[in-house]
Amino acid sequence: MRGLRTAFGEHVVHEDLDLDVCRGEILAVVGGSGSGKSVLLNTILGLKEPDGGAIEVFGRDLADEKARDELERRAGVLFQNGALYSTLTVIENVEAPFLEHVRLPPDFVRDLARLKIGLVGLEASAGDKRPADLSGGMRKRAGMARAIALDPDLLFLDEPTAGLDPVGAASFDTLVRDLRDAMGLTVFMITHDLDTIYAICDRVAVLADRHVAAIGPVAEMERSDHPWIREFFGGPRGRAAREKQS
């Protein structure tokens, strides 16, 4: 992203925002309420048109329609609530990307969907259930199975551990890291979970003052003089998360 500007009328959310995401990394995007984390994600995904600047993914400017189509095929998204189709079973949800983007025999698509369900740690029996019949943690994993259905290069996660208990959140962190390693994913993660940041993230990008105020490994963030960054990483939760990893 270069010189990115987003706004809603006269309310400017981002101004002159620059950000590079490196292949193979897990990047955490953090920031205070109203800093525009979700707006940034939606802008990258094409759900909101940028008001200025440029976004380039896979070497192509997303202002080009063909580049946006390529991003849709090569990226997976897990929204905060899973965003599963409530009227479909889990396996039908995982099949949906195949049916939209590729032409394969139905039996082969079903086998691929079962494979993805197993990869995220769900029992095969979960495939026949509807989202309402699953626990919160299982819905997250079902959403992840759909997100990785087409073997994406780039994975977007929106607050993936929100609403999970500490054990479930730690287990999901391990899943994200294992999938990154096994599939060669690049992960762009919006989160406020300090345990997640310390456990699996390679770098952290901090949104503040309408742009990326700082980016780097967690150790660099701990030394920052920026007031919000110092409070976020140096407060009680930050200290507790750091002690867990020591």
Side-chain angles (χ1 to χ4, degrees), residues 2-32:
R2 290 291 180 270
L4 189 67
R5 185 179 196 271
T6 63
F8 295 93
E10 297 182 356
H11 175 61
V12 178
V13 181
H14 303 125
E15 189 76 74
D16 293 326
L17 186 150
D18 294 339
L19 177 61
D20 291 295
V21 182
C22 302
R23 183 182 296 274
E25 75 172 343
I26 299 177
L27 175 71
V29 178
V30 304

Side-chain angles (χ1 to χ4, degrees), residues 85-86 88-93 124-134 138:
Y85 298 113
S86 60
L88 301 181
T89 63
V90 168
I91 200 165
E92 289 170 339
N93 268 279
S125 59
D128 298 324
K129 297 180 179 179
R130 298 186 188 277
D133 299 323
L134 304 177
M138 292 176 70

Side-chain angles (χ1 to χ4, degrees), residues 121-181:
L122 289 175
E123 297 290 339
S125 59
D128 298 324
K129 297 180 179 179
R130 298 186 188 277
D133 299 323
L134 304 177
S135 67
M138 292 176 70
R139 281 196 297 273
K140 296 268 190 182
R141 289 176 182 267
M144 180 69 91
R146 189 177 65 183
I148 65 169
L150 297 179
D151 293 338
D153 297 292
L154 184 56
L155 182 63
F156 294 96
L157 306 178
D158 185 10
E159 298 284 4
T161 59
L164 299 181
D165 62 75
V167 174
S171 178
F172 201 86
D173 288 341
T174 300
L175 172 65
V176 172
R177 183 179 57 206
D178 289 348
L179 289 174
R180 186 277 303 269
D181 294 343

Side-chain angles (χ1 to χ4, degrees), residues 19-99:
L19 177 61
D20 291 295
V21 182
C22 302
R23 183 182 296 274
E25 75 172 343
I26 299 177
L27 175 71
V29 178
V30 304
S33 178
S35 61
K37 300 183 293 296
S38 294
V39 173
L40 179 61
L41 175 60
N42 290 339
T43 304
I44 297 170
L45 295 175
L47 302 177
K48 183 191 185 318
E49 287 290 328
D51 297 279
I55 304 174
E56 184 179 289
V57 183
F58 307 130
R60 303 181 64 177
D61 191 330
L62 288 188
D64 179 70
E65 185 176 350
K66 290 184 178 179
R68 292 196 297 271
D69 290 342
E70 182 181 6
L71 175 62
E72 187 174 344
R73 292 191 304 271
R74 296 179 60 185
V77 186
L78 174 62
F79 290 105
Q80 188 173 153
N81 61 0
L84 296 168
Y85 298 113
S86 60
T87 58
L88 301 181
T89 63
V90 168
I91 200 165
E92 289 170 339
N93 268 279
V94 180
E95 289 175 335
F98 293 105
L99 299 177

